[in-house]
C-alpha cells in the first residue's frame, strides 16, 4: 500500500492482492445499501415466487401431497407431446441458429457487401415476436391468393389451388413456427460470431499452415479451439433460453384450431393456471424451471473461465485477411434476400386497406395507404404507443440504476464467490414468468394492487435486473487496472467512482439500456398477465387484433410496422455497443 499527494490531498492506493481486487470497492456499509434494492426486488418478485411455486407443486391447501400434482399434470392428455415438443425446440432450433449464424458470419466477413448483409439480418432481432408472428402468418396464409409462401409451395408441388399445402396445418405448424424463430434470431448469432472471428489472430492460421495443416486443421486449431467453441456454446445457450419463451409466437401465429398441435410448456402452463397458482400448473412450472435453469447452468459451466479473466495485451495490427470465396459470398447474398422477403410482405400488406388485404394478396392490387390513414387519424394506437414508451423508459432507467448500484460492489469479488454470484444471477435471469405468475400476483396484491401500471413496471424491473447486473458486473471486472485506479483517484465518494467506471464501460451501459428498453417494448406475456384493461402495452394490443386475423390483416400489418420502427432504429444504431457490451459482460 502506498501514499501519494494528489491535488494537495493524501490519497491511498491499494496495490496489493490480485490484479483487479481492491481497486474501487466501496465500504462495507455502502455495499449493503448498494445491494439492497436489487436484493429486495429479486427476493420479493423472483426468489419467493419460485419457492411459493415449488411449495404449491407438492401441497394442496397447505397439506402435503408429494408428487400427486406431478403425476396428474404429466398424465394429462397431450402432456407427453408438449414436453417432447419443448425438448425439440430447445435442441433443434438452437443448433440451426448456431450453424447458420456461424456460416453467415464467415460468409459476410471482409467483403464489400458484408455490412449490408449483416444489417439486413439484424433487423428481425429488434422486431417484437408478436410482429414476427404476424409477418409469418401473413406469409403462410392457407389461401394461396393471400399467402405468398403458400402460393410458392403450391406451384412447386404442382398442386391445384384447392389442394394447396397447409403450412399452418397440424402437420406443419411446428416447422412453420420454428422457421419464424430462426429468422428472428440468426442476426444476433451472426453478430456474436463475427465479433469472435475478428478476435482470432490471423497469425494462428499462418502457423497451422506452416506446419502443414489443411483447411480442416486451420478451422479446428486456429478458430474453433481458441475461441469459437466457447462462442458456440454461448450462442446455443442463449437461443435455447429464448426458445423457452415462444409463447408470443404460438399465441399469435397459430390458428386456434391447431394450437394444441403446436403447444409447448410455455403455453400449457398459461392454459393450465394463467395468473393464478394451482397444483397442476405449479408442477408443470417446476418441471420447466428445472429444465431451463439446469440447461443454462451446464452451458455456463462449459464456457466458464478464470475470474477475473487474464488481461490480454494489445496485439499488433493484424495482417489483411482475404475475403471469403465467391460461393460463400453468394450464400450471404442469398440469405440477405431471403431475410428481406418477410419484411417486404409485412410492409406491402400494411400499404393496403382492410378490404384489399382481406380479399387478395398484396401483389394483386396497388397500394393505397388506407390502413395507415385510419391508424394515424385514430387515437387508440397512439395512446398505446405513448403508454408503452413511458413504461419502457421508466423501467429501463430504474433497471440501469439498480443494476449499476449492485454491480459496483459485486465486480470486485474473486474466485468461487464471484462464480457463484454469476450463476445465481444467470439462474434468476432465465426464470420464466409463467411459472411464477401466481405468486407474483400475490406479492403485488400486498404491496400495490394487481393490474396496475405500477405493478406491471415493477415486474418488468424485477425480471430485468438480474441480467443487467450480470453484464455490468462482468464489464466492471474486465476493466484494466489503470482505468480502475483512475476512477478511484478521480472520485472523492463512491458515487463519483461509480460514475467514472460507468463512463469507461459505456458499451455495457448502452447494451443493457437498449436491450432492456427493447425487451419491455416488445413484451407480450408480462403485459398479458399483469396489465389492466386501461393500461395495456403494445404487445397485448397487437395480439388482441389477431383474433380476426384475415379481416383485420391490413390494419394489423400497419400497426406492426409502426410498432417496430423504434426498436429497429435503436438496435441498428447501437449494434456495435450491443456486441461489445455483451462480449465484455459474458458468462464467467
Amino acid at each position: 500500500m502506498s501514499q501519494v499527494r494528489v491535488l494537495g490531498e493524501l490519497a491511498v492506493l491499494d496495490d496489493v492482492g490480485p490484479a483487479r481486487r481492491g481497486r474501487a470497492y466501496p465500504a462495507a456499509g455502502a455495499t449493503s445499501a448498494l445491494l439492497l434494492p436489487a436484493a429486495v426486488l429479486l427476493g420479493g418478485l423472483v426468489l419467493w415466487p419460485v419457492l411459493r411455486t415449488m411449495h404449491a407443486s407438492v401441497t394442496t391447501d397447505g397439506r402435503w401431497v408429494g408428487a400427486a400434482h406431478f403425476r396428474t399434470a404429466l398424465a394429462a392428455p397431450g402432456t407427453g407431446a408438449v414436453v417432447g415438443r419443448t425438448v425439440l425446440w430447445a435442441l433443434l432450433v438452437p443448433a440451426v441458429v448456431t450453424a447458420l449464424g456461424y456460416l453467415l458470419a464467415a460468409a459476410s466477413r471482409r467483403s464489400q457487401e458484408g455490412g449490408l448483409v449483416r444489417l439486413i439480418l439484424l433487423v428481425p432481432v429488434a422486431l417484437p415476436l408478436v410482429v414476427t408472428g404476424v409477418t409469418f402468418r401473413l406469409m403462410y396464409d392457407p389461401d394461396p391468393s393471400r399467402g405468398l409462401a403458400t402460393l410458392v409451395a403450391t406451384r412447386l408441388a404442382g398442386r391445384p389451388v384447392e389442394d394447396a399445402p397447409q403450412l399452418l396445418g397440424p402437420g406443419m405448424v411446428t416447422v412453420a413456427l420454428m422457421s419464424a424463430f430462426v429468422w428472428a434470431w440468426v442476426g444476433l448469432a451472426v453478430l456474436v460470431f463475427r465479433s469472435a472471428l475478428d478476435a482470432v489472430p490471423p497469425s494462428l492460421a499462418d502457423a497451422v499452415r506452416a506446419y502443414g495443416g489443411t483447411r480442416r486443421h486451420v478451422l479446428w486449431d486456429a478458430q474453433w479451439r481458441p475461441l469459437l467453441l466457447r462462442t458456440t456454446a454461448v450462442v446455443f445457450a442463449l437461443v435455447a433460453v429464448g426458445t423457452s419463451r415462444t409463447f408470443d409466437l404460438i399465441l399469435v401465429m397459430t390458428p386456434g384450431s391447431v394450437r394444441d398441435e403446436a403447444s409447448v410448456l410455455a403455453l400449457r402452463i398459461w392454459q393450465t393456471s394463467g395468473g393464478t397458482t394451482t397444483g397442476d400448473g405449479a408442477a408443470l412450472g417446476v418441471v420447466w424451471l428445472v429444465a431451463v435453469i439446469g440447461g443454462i447452468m451446464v452451458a455456463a459451466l462449459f464456457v466458464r473461465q478464470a475470474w477475473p479473466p487474464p488481461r490480454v495485451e494489445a496485439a499488433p495490427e493484424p495482417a489483411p485477411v482475404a475475403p471469403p470465396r465467391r460461393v460463400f459470398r453468394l450464400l450471404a447474398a442469398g440469405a440477405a434476400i431471403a431475410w428481406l422477403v418477410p419484411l417486404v410482405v409485412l410492409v406491402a400488406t400494411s400499404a393496403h386497406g382492410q378490404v384489399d388485404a382481406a380479399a387478395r394478396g398484396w401483389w394483386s392490387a396497388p397500394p393505397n395507404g388506407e390502413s395507415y390513414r385510419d391508424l394515424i387519424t385514430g387515437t387508440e394506437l397512439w395512446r398505446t404507443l405513448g403508454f408503452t414508451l413511458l413504461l419502457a423508459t421508466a423501467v429501463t432507467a430504474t433497471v440501469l440504476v439498480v443494476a449499476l448500484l449492485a454491480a459496483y460492489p459485486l465486480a470486485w469479488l474473486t474466485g468461487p464467490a464471484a462464480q457463484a454470484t454469476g450463476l445465481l444471477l444467470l439462474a434468476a435471469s432465465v426464470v420464466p414468468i409463467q411459472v411464477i405468475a401466481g405468486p407474483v400476483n400475490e406479492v403485488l396484491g400486498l404491496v400495490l394492487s394487481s393490474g396496475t401500471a405500477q405493478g406491471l413496471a415493477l415486474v418488468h424491473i424485477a425480471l430485468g435486473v438480474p441480467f443487467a447486473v450480470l453484464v455490468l458486473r462482468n464489464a466492471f471486472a474486465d476493466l484494466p487496472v489503470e482505468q480502475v485506479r483512475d476512477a478511484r483517484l478521480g472520485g472523492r465518494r463512491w458515487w463519483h467512482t461509480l460514475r467514472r467506471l460507468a463512463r469507461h464501460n459505456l458499451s455495457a451501459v448502452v447494451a443493457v439500456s437498449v436491450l432492456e428498453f427493447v425487451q419491455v417494448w416488445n413484451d407480450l406475456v408480462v403485459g398479458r398477465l399483469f396489465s389492466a384493461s386501461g393500461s395495456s402495452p403494445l404487445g397485448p394490443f397487437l395480439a388482441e387484433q389477431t383474433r380476426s386475423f384475415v379481416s383485420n390483416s391490413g390494419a394489423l400489418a400497419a400497426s406492426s410496422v409502426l410498432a417496430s420502427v423504434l426498436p429497429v432504429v435503436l438496435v441498428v444504431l447501437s449494434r456495435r455497443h450491443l456486441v461489445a457490451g455483451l462480449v465484455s459482460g459474458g458468462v464467467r
Side-chain angles (χ1 to χ4, degrees), residues 445-496:
L446 292 175
V447 298
L448 294 167
S449 59
S450 298
T452 63
Q454 295 87 344
L456 177 63
L458 198 59
V459 175
H460 274 299
I461 292 168
L463 295 177
V465 161
F467 181 74
V469 174
L470 184 66
V471 171
L472 292 173
R473 178 203 75 143
N474 295 352
F476 284 169
D478 274 354
L479 283 175
V481 174
E482 294 79 9
Q483 290 185 352
V484 178
R485 181 178 295 157
D486 173 71
R488 190 174 187 186
L489 287 176
R492 299 193 178 190
R493 298 288 187 272
W494 63 263
W495 52 85
H496 297 141

Side-chain angles (χ1 to χ4, degrees), residues 43 58 62 66 103 127 131 134 162 213 332 385 400 461 470 482 583:
V58 293
L103 288 175
L127 297 181
V131 173
V134 169
E162 298 78 13
L385 288 173
L400 185 60
I461 292 168
L470 184 66
E482 294 79 9
V583 169

Side-chain angles (χ1 to χ4, degrees), residues 27-174:
T31 296
S32 301
L34 293 172
L35 292 175
L36 183 61
V40 170
L41 283 168
L42 296 182
L45 290 173
V46 178
L47 178 59
W48 186 87
V50 167
L51 296 177
R52 174 75 177 89
T53 299
M54 296 175 67
H55 179 264
S57 69
V58 293
T59 60
T60 298
D61 297 328
R63 179 173 50 86
W64 175 268
V65 296
H69 292 311
F70 290 90
R71 289 193 293 268
T72 302
L74 295 176
T79 300
V82 168
V83 174
R85 206 174 292 120
T86 304
V87 173
L88 183 66
W89 269 93
L91 296 178
L92 179 61
V93 173
V96 173
V97 171
T98 303
L100 274 178
Y102 170 73
L103 288 175
L104 294 177
S108 63
R109 188 178 177 221
R110 304 187 187 280
S111 61
Q112 293 181 348
E113 69 280 2
L116 179 60
V117 170
R118 289 189 297 274
L119 183 63
I120 293 172
L121 297 176
L122 180 65
V123 170
V125 175
L127 297 181
L129 271 182
V130 174
V131 173
T132 300
V134 169
T135 303
F136 276 78
R137 189 164 175 181
L138 289 171
M139 287 184 58
Y140 295 153
D141 191 295
D143 189 343
S145 66
R146 294 191 303 266
L148 178 62
T150 305
L151 175 63
V152 172
T154 301
R155 294 189 174 175
L156 289 177
R159 296 185 181 183
V161 174
E162 298 78 13
D163 190 28
Q166 298 299 297
L167 302 179
L168 292 178
M172 291 291 294
V173 65
T174 297

